[in-house]
Amino acid sequence: MNRWLTRRWPALHWPSIRGRGRTDAGPLLLTAAVIAAVTLLAGAVPALLRAAADDAVQDTVRRAGHDSNVLVHANWERDDGPTGGRVRMPRLAEELDDFRAQATYALGPDLDAALLPPVAAVNGPVLNITGGSLPRTFQFTYLAGDRGGPDVTWIAGSPPGTTVSDEYVETPYDGPPWPVQVGLSEEDATALDLGPGDRIPVRDGQGRDKDIRVSGIYRPADSADPAWLLAPALLRPVAGADGVGITRFAGLLSRESLPDARLAVDEDQLRRTVHFAPAPDALSWDATAALASQVVKLKAASGSSSDRGQTLKWESQLDTALRDARTRNSAAFAQAAVLLTGVLTATALVLLLAADLLVRRRTPVLSAARQRGAALPDLGAELIIESTVVSLSAAAVGLALARAAAPGVSWTWAVPVALAGAVAGPAFGTLAAARASRDRRQPANAAARRWIRATGQLRRAAVEAAVLIAAVAAFVTLHQRGLLPVASDGDTAELTGDLILPISALTLGALVGALVLLRLLPLGARFALRGALRSRRPLAVFGAAQAATTAGRALPLLVLVSTTALASFALILGTTVTRGLDDGAWSTVGADARLDVGADAEAATPALAERIAAAPGVGQVVVAQVTDSARVFTESTLLTPRLVIVDAAAFQRLLATTPLPDAPALARLTAPGPGAGDVPALVRSSDGNLRTGTQLQLPRDGAPAIRLAAVGTAPSVGGVDDVVIVDAEALADAGLPAVPNTVWVTGPGASRAMSNTGVAADVVLRTDVLRAQRVAPLTAGLLRLAWTAAAVLLALGLLGLTLAAAAGASERWQTLTRLRTLGLRPRDARWVAAGELLPPVVVVAVCGPLLGALLARLALGPLDLRLLTGQATEPAAVLPWWLLGLVSVALLAAAAAVIPVESALRRRDRLSEVLRAGE
């Protein structure tokens, strides 16, 4: 009870607080500058990454194009009449409006807010235009949004109307062609040489003539209206849409002519679909999980394709695009957290070193205050007030600058920096004051002295063992678990508890490396001293003695090794990602250019390849049939890999002339299979279901399945993990000829040869893919962070070197000045100082980059960099030796510059003051 009554608040001496602050304004301002700079980085990076994550989601959806649209199909109500014919349904447009409204309601409010207003499209079958010397096709289409179809201006004739005036009409199934009116665009009408009132001569696939009449000619009010993207032939003729050399034309239906269009074709040939295009600007990372889940639920509740009723049938790849974007965003946040953790740890060590320097300057003042009766709690409270004001003010400045430079600010990452700055100085100062007034004497008993020494060594060993165990656990967790959060953890950018340990693996590894060097450096210094003692060079003896005396200082070596190793790792990370982007572009495209031929033009692919091969500047041209999600069976499992049917020899030559990995196993595809009737195949699988020796079956329509035998590992094709490659000739001999739909082209003239194919196909150029990947929000953000982190860590290392030299400068030059009384020249004094300062810096300059390379070897694999580079496998670490050499040169140059600067500053020291020091 008396102990509680005697407690009091610390008695603060404000003049002492102000006086210490004015006296040590330089070190305090340096500490504040470090805190403000690192707080700016730590506060701005998470906000910038979050903005980049939103941009990445939007960019992913834009790249997906029409694949990210949400489509819903439904059959029409049957139009069977009471007398065995088909009944004209005049309210067909109203039924389509109801269908669009029903689909919109089924989306739900969240998904509806992320999608543009729906557009309903009704498409008839593709008909052949008779007459003329060129193959042409025709299709009539009706487009309708919430506010009607796209606006047009009728420059001739009138909008399509109804062909009958009766409200109820029934026509027999085998009756004459039912007339339907359509409108033509200016370009279509000019190309067809038709005008209002003319009949379009068309015939369906069964040779039956159709009665399609032109009611008028229109001009679109806005050709950029998204609705026209669903049927571009409504604006102008589209070449190659239905095959090489075939031009498609289209006619626009109206609400009045839509019922006639249904009677003009078979009952199931008029298809209706509602298109919901995503609004990329309305998408954000936070909403991706909920939106993807909603799309999955819609597809799960979708009706079967064989269902003849009017149930909604949903189709979309939006959920896949959102999941991919979400995975990449999570990986980028974890990768950035690894770099930020290293920067914050290095900053904390530098702040500790700055606090140590400050306390060394204040030790006489604190000792005097303690001797005058100042209590340790009072001194500690005064130091805490000073450091808290400095740290919080600097952190506030850093966060304000971060808020000005970024769309937001994250204070979570700034807390460790401010906390280290606020705690380091008071802790060191209080310990220094306590030691100054401690009356414990050195024991005279040798056993007691050995006991004290052994206790200190055990404490140090315990700390080192704890750091080593934590590092081992972190790396094991990193390799076993990885950095990607589980599905329920990725809703925010904040780290979850299970990610803290693997994210800290890199920093803990750097600290372990520093502790190892801290153990070895004193041994090396003592060994060098023994060698110097046997020499006849006194300068070597003095320098080695000074180095052996200071080699055991832990904090400077921890700062130098950790900053150098982490900066080297950041440089290696940036270089690896840059090289991986180039390799990823090769992996994605497969050549300098790739042509993905549409399904309607696949028959012309061989002729197209021959034409491309004859173009100037073209090297290799390889055609293949690439089928995604092909149905392949094992003994008990259905697999859906990418099936590639290609000329194995030509494909092997293609790989040999590109930076892509060679695949010598392709030669096995032309050899006989291991069993009678087996077709050799190369397989690749991410989950191990496809491996060498597996027996596969490739089903065929109306024929027995073809047996495939896995004889080797397949190379990655288009960055896909699950691949089956079969030789085209071998598969044709087995009864399944290939229908090529992909053309790979290499050579400097590849892009020019692909510029005008005249076929409905997608041209993918490697240079375009590489350019797009480099400017992708997440990739560009991570690269900028890697280079920035390397620069900050190097600056912290140089600052740590300067602080370490300044902390020992007084004792060092005190010794050297005394040696000058024995005849040591000023130039020789500088050499002795170099002998003390340079050895640890040389060790760090050599071992620091090597430690960074080792950490890269251990940590780059689990970082999932392939999600950003677009590669099928993790990119191999690329060591930029010239950049690592610059780090070493910068350290050595800084150490060499410190010595003459110190010599110039200490030249004013009086010999009498130096000789009286310590009295």
Side-chain angles (χ1 to χ4, degrees):
M1 183 68 181
N2 293 332
R3 184 180 61 185
W4 289 96
L5 293 175
T6 57
R7 286 188 174 183
R8 63 178 179 83
W9 289 101
L12 303 178
H13 190 251
W14 294 103
S16 297
I17 297 176
R18 291 191 294 269
R20 283 193 297 266
R22 286 193 297 267
T23 303
D24 299 319
L28 291 176
L29 288 177
L30 178 63
T31 300
V34 172
I35 294 175
V38 178
T39 301
L40 168 61
L41 180 66
V45 166
L48 291 173
L49 277 179
R50 177 172 287 279
D54 293 340
D55 294 340
V57 172
Q58 298 168 9
D59 183 65
T60 300
V61 173
R62 289 191 183 98
R63 289 171 184 262
H66 291 295
D67 290 339
S68 63
N69 289 359
V70 178
L71 310 181
V72 56
H73 313 278
N75 296 323
W76 296 99
E77 180 184 358
R78 295 187 62 84
D79 57 1
D80 298 325
T83 61
R86 297 178 62 189
V87 177
R88 185 180 184 275
M89 307 178 71
R91 295 183 54 82
L92 210 59
E94 286 77 2
E95 290 185 18
L96 186 65
D97 293 339
D98 294 340
F99 169 48
R100 186 177 62 248
Q102 179 187 4
T104 303
Y105 178 78
L107 292 175
D110 294 336
L111 188 56
D112 186 24
L115 301 175
L116 295 174
V119 177
V122 179
N123 294 308
V126 177
L127 307 173
N128 298 318
I129 299 179
T130 60
S133 59
L134 298 177
R136 296 170 297 177
T137 58
F138 181 85
Q139 184 181 42
F140 48 73
T141 301
Y142 173 71
L143 300 176
D146 291 338
R147 299 180 180 179
D151 294 332
V152 297
T153 301
W154 295 94
I155 60 177
S158 61
T162 179
T163 57
V164 294
S165 58
D166 296 337
E167 193 69 22
Y168 178 84
V169 177
E170 182 177 354
T171 179
Y173 279 101
D174 55 354
W178 189 268
V180 56
Q181 294 184 6
V182 298
L184 291 180
S185 67
E186 281 186 284
E187 297 187 29
D188 283 2
T190 302
L192 292 174
D193 193 20
L194 296 175
D198 293 337
R199 179 175 173 178
I200 304 175
V202 293
R203 185 176 297 166
D204 65 9
Q206 299 178 0
R208 296 176 296 184
D209 293 330
K210 300 297 179 181
D211 187 2
I212 299 179
R213 303 170 185 178
V214 179
S215 67
I217 310 299
Y218 63 86
R219 178 184 300 157
D222 181 13
S223 58
D225 192 320
W228 296 116
L229 297 176
L230 302 180
L234 289 174
L235 296 178
R236 63 188 59 87
V238 177
D242 299 305
V244 179
I246 302 177
T247 303
R248 176 183 291 184
F249 297 82
L252 182 65
L253 297 171
S254 66
R255 297 177 66 89
E256 291 76 14
S257 64
L258 181 60
D260 296 321
R262 188 177 185 193
L263 292 180
V265 296
D266 292 342
E267 186 177 15
D268 57 350
Q269 287 185 325
L270 195 68
R271 300 178 302 276
R272 60 174 179 172
T273 304
V274 177
H275 298 255
F276 294 92
D281 294 337
L283 299 176
S284 64
W285 183 32
D286 294 335
T288 53
L291 295 180
S293 176
Q294 184 63 26
V295 174
V296 171
K297 291 179 180 178
L298 289 175
K299 294 197 294 185
S302 179
S304 171
S305 59
S306 60
D307 185 4
R308 303 299 298 174
Q310 300 181 51
T311 56
L312 302 184
K313 304 175 181 64
W314 296 90
E315 175 188 350
S316 178
Q317 294 298 321
L318 179 61
D319 56 326
T320 303
L322 293 178
R323 281 197 301 269
D324 292 344
R326 189 175 186 78
T327 302
R328 286 192 293 269
N329 290 345
S330 299
F333 266 92
Q335 294 155 5
V338 170
L339 294 174
L340 281 180
T341 301
V343 172
L344 297 186
T345 302
T347 303
L349 292 175
V350 170
L351 291 176
L352 291 176
L353 193 56
D356 178 62
L357 173 61
L358 182 61
V359 169
R360 286 173 182 268
R361 292 165 55 100
R362 289 180 169 180
T363 297
V365 176
L366 295 176
S367 300
R370 182 65 174 148
Q371 292 169 0
R372 289 195 300 266
L376 286 179
D378 298 341
L379 287 176
E382 293 174 1
L383 296 176
I384 288 176
I385 290 175
E386 177 190 75
S387 62
T388 302
V389 171
V390 172
S391 299
L392 292 182
S393 301
V397 171
L399 292 177
L401 294 175
R403 183 64 184 87
V409 65
S410 174
W411 60 268
T412 305
W413 287 94
V415 170
V417 182
L419 187 62
V423 172
F428 284 173
T430 304
L431 288 176
R435 291 193 188 100
S437 59
R438 186 171 56 186
D439 58 354
R440 189 173 65 180
R441 299 178 180 178
Q442 183 74 11
N445 188 353
R449 291 197 298 270
R450 286 195 299 270
W451 175 263
I452 294 175
R453 221 170 22 251
T455 302
Q457 293 173 353
L458 285 175
R459 289 172 179 171
R460 177 180 176 180
V463 173
E464 294 174 345
V467 175
L468 177 61
I469 292 173
V472 172
F475 274 101
V476 171
T477 306
L478 177 64
H479 281 267
Q480 294 292 330
R481 186 204 179 283
L483 289 179
L484 292 179
V486 296
S488 59
D489 292 338
D491 293 336
T492 65
E494 304 300 331
L495 297 177
T496 53
D498 58 338
L499 284 176
I500 294 178
L501 188 60
I503 283 175
S504 305
L506 178 67
T507 302
L508 292 173
L511 293 178
V512 169
L515 292 176
V516 171
L517 287 180
L518 186 60
R519 284 284 187 179
L520 297 178
L521 190 59
L523 299 178
R526 287 194 293 269
F527 178 79
L529 178 59
R530 285 196 297 268
L533 290 173
R534 292 192 294 269
S535 70
R536 297 183 179 181
R537 299 178 179 177
L539 294 182
V541 176
F542 295 150
Q546 289 286 90
T549 302
T550 59
R553 293 182 60 191
L555 201 53
L557 193 65
L558 287 176
V559 171
L560 290 178
V561 174
S562 60
T563 54
T564 306
L566 293 173
S568 301
F569 175 84
L571 293 174
I572 295 171
L573 176 64
T575 307
T576 300
V577 171
T578 302
R579 178 73 61 83
L581 290 175
D582 186 63
D583 294 341
W586 278 104
S587 176
T588 300
V589 180
D592 287 311
R594 189 186 74 231
L595 190 69
D596 297 329
V597 183
D600 296 329
E602 291 177 351
T605 303
L608 180 62
E610 293 179 1
R611 192 174 67 193
I612 294 175
V618 173
Q620 299 280 338
V621 176
V622 178
V623 299
Q625 178 181 342
V626 179
T627 305
D628 290 327
S629 300
R631 298 172 66 247
V632 177
F633 291 89
T634 62
E635 294 181 356
S636 59
T637 307
L638 170 63
L639 304 176
T640 55
R642 170 172 287 183
L643 177 63
V644 180
I645 306 173
V646 65
D647 184 346
F651 192 46
Q652 189 173 10
R653 289 193 300 269
L654 174 71
L655 296 179
T657 57
T658 65
L660 293 171
D662 293 335
L666 287 169
R668 304 176 191 172
L669 297 182
T670 57
D678 290 345
V679 176
L682 300 183
V683 296
R684 183 185 189 91
S685 176
S686 58
D687 54 9
N689 288 330
L690 291 174
R691 54 185 178 273
T692 303
T694 304
Q695 295 293 325
L696 306 173
Q697 289 189 352
L698 182 63
R700 292 184 293 172
D701 293 335
I706 297 177
R707 297 199 309 271
L708 306 179
V711 297
T713 302
S716 175
V717 179
V720 176
D721 292 331
D722 299 332
V723 179
V724 175
I725 300 179
V726 184
D727 181 65
E729 184 177 354
L731 196 63
D733 294 340
L736 185 60
V739 182
N741 59 0
T742 300
V743 182
W744 288 298
V745 184
T746 62
S751 59
R752 188 166 54 255
M754 295 280 201
S755 59
N756 187 16
T757 60
V759 176
D762 295 329
V763 178
V764 184
L765 301 180
R766 182 183 58 83
T767 54
D768 293 344
V769 172
L770 179 59
R771 188 182 305 110
Q773 289 178 341
R774 283 177 176 172
V775 300
L778 286 179
T779 304
L782 181 65
L783 283 175
R784 285 194 293 266
L785 178 60
W787 305 131
T788 303
V792 171
L793 287 167
L794 181 58
L796 290 174
L798 297 177
L799 178 60
L801 174 61
T802 305
L803 293 175
S810 178
E811 298 175 359
R812 178 167 52 255
W813 288 97
Q814 197 175 88
T815 302
L816 294 177
T817 305
R818 290 174 178 174
L819 288 175
R820 287 179 57 191
T821 63
L822 303 178
L824 192 68
R825 294 175 296 180
R827 184 179 63 181
D828 297 335
R830 288 194 294 269
W831 280 109
V832 174
E836 176 185 349
L837 290 177
L838 285 180
V841 177
V842 171
V843 171
V844 171
V846 174
C847 297
L850 295 179
L851 178 59
L854 176 61
L855 293 176
R857 176 67 178 83
L858 295 176
L860 278 184
L863 289 185
D864 294 310
L865 294 177
R866 61 180 176 81
L867 296 175
L868 300 182
T869 61
Q871 296 171 271
T873 58
E874 294 298 330
V878 180
L879 302 181
W881 291 113
W882 68 278
L883 290 177
L884 301 182
L886 286 179
V887 173
S888 301
V889 170
L891 285 177
L892 295 175
V898 164
I899 298 170
V901 172
E902 278 191 356
S903 178
L905 294 176
R906 295 291 174 175
R907 189 175 298 171
R908 301 178 182 178
D909 291 349
R910 295 181 179 180
L911 185 61
S912 58
E913 296 177 355
V914 174
L915 293 177
R916 285 198 302 268
E919 293 181 358

